[in-house]
Amino acid sequence: MPSKFTIMLIKIYEDNPNPKAIQQAIDVLRKGGVIIYPTDTVYGIGCDITNQKAIERVCQIRGLRPDKSNLSFICYDLTDISNYTKPFDTAVFRVLKKALPGPFTFIFNASGQVPKLLSSKKKTVGIRVPDNNIVREIVRELGHPIVTSSIHDEDEIIEYATDPELIYEKYQELVDMVIDGGYGGNVASTVVDLTTGEFEVVREGKGDLEEYL
């Protein structure tokens, strides 16, 4: 589906994100737009979690079914997480506090809020707090999380797109903004399942969980 905005490629520096540029990204999200942005691992594609049509667009671009997709939420910090997950114990909280922000996706049992947001029957939710000032600042200023999915090249299963200008060339007809935050990584986040209350690594990625246990 073509973008309804004039597609923008904007440069934002992670060390000192320009508030005006951050506001531009927020304006796009609030109008139901889809953006591509850097994280501490690979570039991600996402939208406002409260906009159903935008979530459907993200799924369409990524070739996912909204009701079955493993979309994650990017939160600003641990305060946000409890709104979307069922309660978890103090031992888990202590590890999260040490590991986040960082290159992990933690899978929790979802609170009742999540199926409403995603129009699905999903009982779990992936939560990310990336160690990247650009996307965290966007989420903080927006006031709630964004839905996120990694972007990667179809011809290489694990080859994630790293060059923002090439990402822009590829996605300019599909999304509303690409944020150039410098070269991205090509190693995805480590995925950790917490649904049983234990830490179970289901995908090894950039983060080493052992450092925080």
Side-chain angles (χ1 to χ4, degrees):
M1 185 191 296
S3 163
K4 62 184 174 189
F5 302 98
T6 306
I7 170 72
M8 290 183 277
L9 173 65
I10 62 168
K11 178 82 183 166
I12 303 182
Y13 295 95
E14 195 202 340
D15 292 344
N16 190 16
N18 180 331
K20 212 175 259 184
I22 294 289
Q23 192 53 53
Q24 277 181 288
I26 289 163
D27 291 345
V28 169
L29 291 168
R30 287 206 172 122
K31 289 174 184 155
V34 171
I35 67 172
I36 290 176
Y37 45 84
T39 72
D40 53 352
T41 55
V42 301
Y43 267 81
I45 180 170
C47 65
D48 187 327
I49 59 168
T50 64
N51 191 306
Q52 194 53 47
K53 283 208 164 73
I55 293 170
E56 284 165 15
R57 266 184 70 202
V58 169
C59 290
Q60 194 180 10
I61 292 164
R62 289 282 290 105
L64 305 167
R65 279 180 55 180
D67 56 338
K68 296 264 172 73
S69 56
N70 292 319
L71 294 168
S72 297
F73 292 179
I74 289 186
C75 295
Y76 175 70
D77 60 16
L78 288 174
T79 339
D80 286 343
I81 291 178
S82 55
N83 296 326
Y84 308 102
T85 66
K86 291 202 169 150
F88 46 85
D89 65 27
T90 322
V92 168
F93 181 79
R94 274 201 295 267
V95 174
L96 295 177
K97 205 167 175 197
K98 285 189 282 185
L100 297 174
F104 297 95
T105 301
F106 289 103
I107 299 170
F108 294 89
N109 293 308
S111 72
Q113 180 80 338
V114 172
K116 285 189 217 119
L117 292 167
L118 296 181
S119 289
S120 75
K121 299 193 173 79
K122 281 191 79 65
K123 304 254 183 355
T124 61
V125 61
I127 299 284
R128 284 222 64 202
V129 182
D131 189 8
N132 181 287
N133 289 334
I134 298 169
V135 70
R136 285 184 70 222
E137 200 53 29
I138 288 169
V139 167
R140 188 173 75 84
E141 290 292 330
L142 183 65
H144 52 256
I146 58 175
V147 158
T148 185
S149 179
S150 300
I151 63 165
H152 56 80
D153 295 329
E154 290 82 357
D155 49 356
E156 293 286 345
I157 296 167
I158 290 297
E159 230 6 77
Y160 290 88
T162 58
D163 182 334
E165 292 196 5
L166 295 178
I167 293 170
Y168 173 73
E169 276 177 35
K170 180 173 176 177
Y171 287 93
Q172 60 182 320
E173 300 296 320
L174 299 169
V175 303
D176 308 298
M177 175 182 277
V178 176
I179 295 170
D180 175 353
Y183 271 85
N186 63 356
V187 179
S189 61
T190 293
V191 179
V192 183
D193 189 335
L194 277 171
T195 54
T196 62
E198 302 292 320
F199 289 89
E200 186 195 343
V201 175
V202 291
R203 180 183 77 194
E204 290 283 359
K206 190 175 172 186
D208 180 4
L209 190 67
E210 290 299 318
E211 289 178 26
Y212 304 101
L213 294 177

